[in-house]
Amino acid sequence: MADDLKLLRGAIRARHEIQALRHIRLYEGRAQASDASIAIDVPFECGGLDVTVPASEFVSALEICDEPTFKMMPSGRLQVKQGGFKASLPLFDNLAYPKSAPDGEMFEPGDGLVNALATARPFTGDLKPWTKGITVRDGAIYATNGMALIRIQTAIDPSVKINIPEAAVSELARINLPITAMRVSETSCTFKLGTKVWLRSQLLNDDAPDMTKLITSTETPVPEGLREAVDKLAPFFEGPTSTIKFDENGVHAVGATEAVIAIPNLPEGLYNAELMRMVLMHAKHIDLTQYPSSVSYNDGEDVSGAIVGIRV
């Protein structure tokens, strides 16, 4: 049972400022937790209980019990018991718990959406409110931190236009069940995960500009050895603002310690080191001659994007 509740972990906030959201709602053979932004709902066989229990204490009790029994006490508490262990948990008013339910029009998003969202997630950032999430529009997902951009074509209906918060994407990746259906309303998106689990997330405002204009088509192969060279130089990067330089002599890690790997005739450019490394993880083609304008890349299939160089 504790394993079932582990799926709720991302929505449990033991110190949430709203008292109700420090609890788990048990109802109709299910369990739900919410932090006001994300709600997760999972199957949970609990003998027909219809109660709201303190989240941390309930989870801790179940971690001790393999096969617990539940009993409502005359005092109005819930007893969790197995063998010599028992815990008596206070209950919260069911009506005061803000129970969530899926809403909006349902559609099937196609295969592979969890992997696509997980791939795009590292590209999110704090530059603008909309960069804190993943934009869905025109059948593709987009993520950017203002310096690097990724676009992944999906099977989502092209009419869907939403922005999914990074926190929700993180939970979808953690739970790692296939997204078998989605529901979208004006303010929320619900993901059906597998056959019985669902996650509902509030949406960000979709104020993102048209990002397609930053991406141009290219069939220029990634220079031989470039991806490996950038990976080998990673120990010389000095943090998220470290830079990497390309020139006719090769690839240079720029910092207190300079390191270089020779690759002949690279187009000149200066980039954020970690972002270039991230881009090269997905690139089969990249047009480095576009520097100092944005440099486009793609994998020859569903992934494309751009990275902005650093002007000197």
Side-chain angles (χ1 to χ4, degrees), residues 289-312:
T289 65
Q290 294 177 314
Y291 176 89
S293 299
S294 60
V295 170
S296 295
Y297 70 92
N298 64 70
D299 72 348
E301 297 181 8
D302 298 325
V303 177
S304 57
I307 180 170
V308 176
I310 300 169
R311 294 177 180 268
V312 293

Side-chain angles (χ1 to χ4, degrees), residues 86-151:
K86 64 181 178 180
S88 178
L89 305 180
L91 300 181
F92 189 76
D93 183 0
N94 285 349
L95 296 179
Y97 181 86
K99 187 164 166 281
S100 295
D103 61 342
E105 183 178 354
M106 186 170 70
F107 61 92
E108 295 181 1
D111 296 335
L113 184 56
V114 169
N115 287 338
L117 290 170
T119 297
R121 178 180 163 236
F123 286 78
T124 59
D126 296 328
L127 181 67
K128 300 282 186 181
W130 56 268
T131 67
K132 297 178 181 180
I134 292 179
T135 297
V136 180
R137 61 172 60 157
D138 301 324
I141 63 174
Y142 298 80
T144 184
N145 53 25
M147 295 185 69
L149 163 68
I150 190 169
R151 174 180 65 188

